[in-house]
Each structure stands twice: as structure tokens, then as C-alpha cells.
Amino acid sequence: MMNCTEFDLARSLPRLRQRFPGLVVDQVLSAQTQADDLIRALAASQGISMTEAREEMRDFLYLESLRAELSMPS
């Protein structure tokens, strides 16, 4: 479905909550092993379809991967 191998939910949680107000997620939820649960929670909290939630999460993960690349030491 989506590549979550480098997604650190604990580090990204504040930005996730800021981008998706109303999304209730704690650090126990693993984006790697529970991606479908995270997408379902996103769809329910934002009132969007599962397809839209998947796209929104894919966009969010892309931005997080760019942020991670920029912060990597050269």
C-alpha cells in the first residue's frame, strides 16, 4: 500500500495532528503495522472516503520523507 518503513510516528505526531485536526492518534499506533487503522481513523475524523484518506496520508508521508532527507547529515 504505502511505504512506511522510515516513518517515525512519534516524531511526526505533532505535524500529523496539525494537518488533520480531530484525528486522535497516540504513539502506540504503528504506521508500519497498523497503516489501515491509521487511514480508517483519518477518514472518520475528517469525514472523507478511505481513498481520499489514503491519498492524504501518502501526501503527508511524502512530505515527512522530504523533511527526513533534509535533516540527514551529509
Side-chain angles (χ1 to χ4, degrees):
M1 181 184 79
M2 72 179 80
N3 184 4
C4 298
T5 55
E6 296 182 26
F7 180 59
D8 181 0
L9 185 59
R11 181 179 299 157
S12 300
L13 195 55
R15 288 184 294 277
L16 187 66
R17 287 180 176 152
Q18 181 180 12
R19 179 163 176 180
F20 306 111
L23 178 62
V24 178
V25 176
D26 59 23
Q27 295 174 351
V28 176
L29 186 63
S30 166
Q32 229 174 349
T33 60
Q34 297 172 309
D36 289 336
D37 293 339
L38 185 58
I39 290 170
R40 260 191 294 285
L42 177 61
S45 72
Q46 302 301 301
I48 58 178
S49 72
M50 290 289 288
T51 301
E52 291 170 315
R54 247 183 225 99
E55 289 298 317
E56 288 291 335
M57 188 55 65
R58 190 172 291 131
D59 290 346
F60 179 77
L61 293 174
Y62 176 70
L63 291 174
E64 288 300 296
S65 72
L66 292 177
R67 184 184 314 275
E69 282 183 34
L70 288 173
S71 64
M72 290 174 65
S74 301

